Amino acid sequence: MLRILDARTGESVPAAPARRGLTRIEAHACGPDPTALRVLLTADLLVRALELGGTPVWTSLTAPRDQPELRTAGTRLAIRPFEFSRDLASGLGEAQALHVVRRDSAEAVGEGPVVAVAEVEWVPGAGGGPAAGEDGPAALTALLSDPSALRLALLAVPRGEPARLDPATLAEAARGLARWRRAVAGWARRPSRPVPGEVRDRLRAAWEDDLDLPAVLGVLREVESAPGIPDGARFETYAYADRLLALDLVRNLGNPA
């Protein structure tokens, strides 16, 4: 069962106390800026993790301004669409509402557990771009030059810690993602094998423990080179984890070169 740290109380609570009962996730974002996009990404990951556990989820976006720009940026980052109004969920009998907010706004939302997200800072290189530390639309544009690399770079940082991103960080993420996609395409040419039970358990334990995405990525890095795991099982492991990560790891199937 997925458990999250409630920023309002400091306690670990079930994300969906009524198993398979409808849970509402509300993303509260101002923007558009990189931190608002991280709020949307965290909400998206919660949705995916709950659905993998069989819990139906309804999502909404509360943004006092710039909602179209945020939605467009979210789409580029492989974030599923959000509904416009929480009123659409009335009468559906949801079990609980989870609020995803930037960490300095944890007390400004309604009832229900609060998932707090730390800020994102864009630090450009010497080649120019937005001023160091800028976190507005210009920084968002720069970060979205490679959406998949940005998604991976954000997944690699615990959501409660500030994410300080620069061109070198994004380039490293892009290289790692390209390597994984090539590897997955190569493994797909081998006979399929099931995800090893111990690996599946470790993946689920990681993301069900307060949505620990860095730990999930750590398991994948181990599986990439661990001896004794058939290539077909490596492929299935990465495909399984990508149901949560949404990094399009199977994109190069048919073209492993």
Side-chain angles (χ1 to χ4, degrees):
M1 174 185 294
L2 173 62
R3 299 184 66 87
I4 55 97
L5 181 66
D6 183 357
R8 201 193 304 269
T9 65
E11 298 180 354
S12 176
V13 299
R19 186 170 178 80
R20 303 190 184 279
L22 179 64
T23 294
R24 186 175 75 242
I25 294 177
E26 293 188 21
H28 302 262
C30 298
D33 61 49
T35 302
L37 192 60
R38 193 183 194 188
V39 169
L40 267 60
L41 174 61
T42 301
D44 179 68
L45 292 163
L46 279 169
V47 171
R48 294 173 186 273
L50 286 168
E51 288 182 344
L52 282 169
T55 299
V57 185
W58 183 89
T59 58
S60 66
L61 171 60
T62 300
R65 65 182 189 277
D66 302 313
Q67 201 173 83
E69 291 87 347
L70 269 177
R71 289 174 178 275
T72 298
T75 298
R76 293 190 62 192
L77 204 63
I79 293 171
R80 297 180 183 180
F82 293 81
E83 299 290 349
F84 280 100
S85 171
R86 63 183 294 173
D87 293 335
L88 295 176
S90 61
L92 295 180
E94 69 267 17
Q96 169 169 278
L98 294 177
H99 302 275
V100 186
V101 303
R102 56 187 301 156
R103 63 179 179 179
D104 56 3
S105 304
E107 300 302 324
V109 295
E111 294 183 1
V114 174
V115 181
V117 177
E119 62 275 6
V120 179
E121 180 185 12
W122 167 243
V123 183
E134 182 174 343
D135 63 356
L140 192 59
T141 298
L143 286 166
L144 285 169
S145 60
D146 187 342
S148 295
L150 172 59
R151 187 172 177 110
L152 178 57
L154 289 174
L155 294 179
V157 181
R159 70 167 186 277
E161 297 179 7
R164 192 172 187 270
L165 304 179
D166 56 30
T169 302
L170 294 183
E172 181 181 1
R175 288 191 296 270
L177 188 56
R179 186 186 74 249
W180 274 356
R181 286 172 173 169
R182 287 193 301 269
V184 167
W187 297 331
R189 302 173 65 189
R190 309 297 296 174
S192 179
R193 295 289 186 273
V195 179
E198 182 265 344
V199 171
R200 182 184 293 268
D201 290 345
R202 289 179 61 200
L203 286 170
R204 293 197 69 96
W207 77 58
E208 290 182 350
D209 180 14
D210 198 32
L211 208 62
D212 189 349
L213 279 306
V216 172
L217 296 175
V219 173
L220 292 185
R221 283 190 288 269
E222 291 181 24
V223 169
E224 181 180 8
S225 58
I229 299 179
D231 285 349
R234 299 185 209 273
F235 169 80
E236 295 295 346
T237 297
Y238 274 63
Y240 173 66
D242 205 38
R243 295 170 60 188
L244 172 69
L245 303 176
L247 294 170
D248 200 10
L249 296 177
V250 299
R251 191 170 89 176
N252 290 355
L253 259 61
N255 183 29

